[in-house]
Amino acid sequence: MNLYLRYFDKEALVNTVDEAIDFLKAIDEIGMNPVLEADIRDYAASDVFYPKRYKIRPRVYFIIIKTEAANMNDFKEKKAVRNGAPEKVRQSTSNVMKLNEERDGWYEGTIDFKRVQQVPGTGKFQYRDTHFVAVVKAMSGIDCYNRIVDHLRQRVDDRSQFPSAKGKNFKFRYMGMAK
């Protein structure tokens, strides 16, 4: 596992933690100390793959990123992207890809949106989370979403808020062709 370090226009891709610490020691503004050195060693030894940033002074940071890139060019071109991406991330990207896939037939669409409703007794309005499920005939997932939202816009308050079709609050399932 290699480490990519950057502080403004100074950057390096190193193979060991010692090389990373030497790189940071060469930058006077960072002010390397034993506590910072121990934290960098802990980060490098951990299973965490998120980038880590360290504050130097207000709004000034340096970052460290774990990477499998062999050289700086591979890192810049993102050739060493980790294959161990969480299943949830892969699933959400595939759902977004399926959104525009055209398959004529029946879809079951589920949408969770913020509906404006009047509170009895007070006359004030508030947002309420509303779950809506519909079976519609559509050409694609996005067409299913558009048909459901058009239907709801005619029946609920104009101030109601609808989620993005790409978000987690809209799901659809292809049910098949009409017989």
Side-chain angles (χ1 to χ4, degrees):
M1 186 62 54
N2 295 329
L3 297 170
Y4 170 79
L5 299 100
R6 187 177 77 213
Y7 179 72
F8 289 105
D9 61 342
K10 298 175 180 124
E11 60 184 2
L13 185 69
V14 297
N15 299 323
T16 65
V17 179
D18 293 326
E19 290 175 14
I21 292 170
D22 291 341
F23 171 77
L24 294 171
K25 282 181 180 177
I27 302 171
D28 294 332
E29 296 172 12
I30 291 178
M32 184 58 93
N33 58 44
V35 174
L36 182 60
E37 183 176 335
D39 194 50
I40 292 170
R41 289 184 188 281
D42 289 343
Y43 170 72
S46 71
D47 293 336
V48 175
F49 281 90
Y50 294 109
K52 179 119 180 179
R53 68 180 190 169
Y54 292 91
K55 190 173 190 173
I56 305 302
R57 58 182 185 272
R59 295 182 292 189
V60 176
Y61 300 87
F62 75 86
I63 63 166
I64 299 177
I65 301 173
K66 289 183 181 179
T67 182
E68 295 176 1
N71 57 46
M72 188 66 81
N73 192 33
D74 287 351
F75 178 78
K76 295 285 183 169
E77 293 179 7
K78 298 180 182 168
K79 290 183 180 175
V81 175
R82 289 192 70 232
N83 291 334
E87 184 64 33
K88 196 173 198 178
V89 171
R90 277 185 266 158
Q91 182 66 28
S92 67
T93 56
S94 68
N95 285 345
V96 171
M97 297 294 282
K98 290 179 185 175
L99 202 58
N100 292 321
E101 181 182 312
E102 289 198 12
R103 290 175 74 185
D104 190 19
W106 290 95
Y107 287 82
E108 179 184 63
T110 304
I111 189 167
D112 296 321
F113 68 102
K114 301 282 187 188
R115 182 178 186 171
V116 173
Q117 289 182 320
Q118 189 173 21
V119 177
T122 64
K124 294 183 180 181
F125 292 89
Q126 70 179 12
Y127 287 102
R128 292 237 171 110
D129 291 332
T130 305
H131 182 76
F132 184 80
V133 180
V135 176
V136 296
K137 187 166 182 167
M139 294 292 294
S140 64
I142 192 71
D143 188 31
C144 172
Y145 171 82
N146 290 333
R147 288 174 187 251
I148 291 172
V149 170
D150 289 343
H151 172 80
L152 289 171
R153 284 192 196 278
Q154 296 172 7
R155 287 162 177 78
V156 297
D157 192 295
D158 290 339
R159 295 171 289 183
S160 296
Q161 298 174 353
F162 297 98
S164 167
K166 296 176 184 176
K168 65 180 181 180
N169 290 325
F170 173 69
K171 296 176 184 70
F172 67 94
R173 180 173 62 98
Y174 180 71
M175 297 176 67
M177 292 292 297
K179 292 186 177 182

